[in-house]
Amino acid sequence: MIFFIVILFACSSKSPSYIQGYIYNEGRNPLKGIKVVDPNNKTVFSITNDQGYFRINQMINGRYLDVIIKSKKIGSVYIARIHPEKGVNYAFIEGRNDTLFISLKEEKIISQ
């Protein structure tokens, strides 16, 4: 019986199908024009809109995205973290309201 429940649970959880989130500055204002790109496939990317929102309509093969301002990579943000006991923990995937904060003075990621 326990085996059946485990199999049922494993089959019912689906993998995320898109990546989304918001990017703000340290003053909590949305940042427009920030490029978020798959480092393994540069053709898979999104650029933030007036609200700082980005969306990539597919999942990527890697575990993180590069964040680019004016053609300069300022850092990377993890979308999947793997823990040996807890499994995979996703950020910036469908249905979540995850936000990335960037310091424009230092051009670096402050927090996620």
Side-chain angles (χ1 to χ4, degrees):
M1 181 69 166
I2 294 174
F3 178 73
F4 177 72
I5 292 171
V6 170
I7 294 297
L8 182 64
F9 179 74
C11 293
S12 67
S13 61
K14 66 175 190 149
S15 296
S17 60
Y18 60 90
I19 302 165
Q20 69 175 16
Y22 291 88
I23 299 179
Y24 295 126
N25 66 11
E26 60 270 34
R28 297 188 180 266
N29 298 311
L31 294 175
K32 179 182 178 181
I34 306 296
K35 188 174 185 179
V36 183
V37 63
D38 177 353
N40 300 311
N41 183 353
K42 304 291 185 194
T43 64
V44 177
F45 69 91
S46 179
I47 298 175
T48 56
N49 64 15
D50 291 336
Q51 290 79 40
Y53 177 76
F54 69 91
R55 178 176 168 140
I56 297 175
N57 290 321
Q58 67 185 64
M59 284 302 292
I60 63 170
N61 289 330
R63 296 188 313 171
Y64 65 92
L65 297 167
D66 287 341
V67 179
I68 299 171
I69 297 177
K70 298 178 186 172
S71 301
K72 178 184 174 188
K73 178 183 166 185
I74 63 159
S76 300
V77 57
Y78 278 95
I79 60 164
R81 293 189 176 171
I82 301 170
H83 187 276
E85 295 172 1
K86 297 178 184 177
V88 179
N89 181 22
Y90 290 104
F92 295 98
I93 53 128
E94 61 188 77
R96 292 183 52 129
N97 291 320
D98 291 323
T99 304
L100 181 67
F101 292 93
I102 295 175
S103 169
L104 291 178
K105 295 174 190 171
E106 301 173 29
E107 289 190 344
K108 71 175 190 173
I109 295 172
I110 300 172
S111 69
Q112 160 181 352

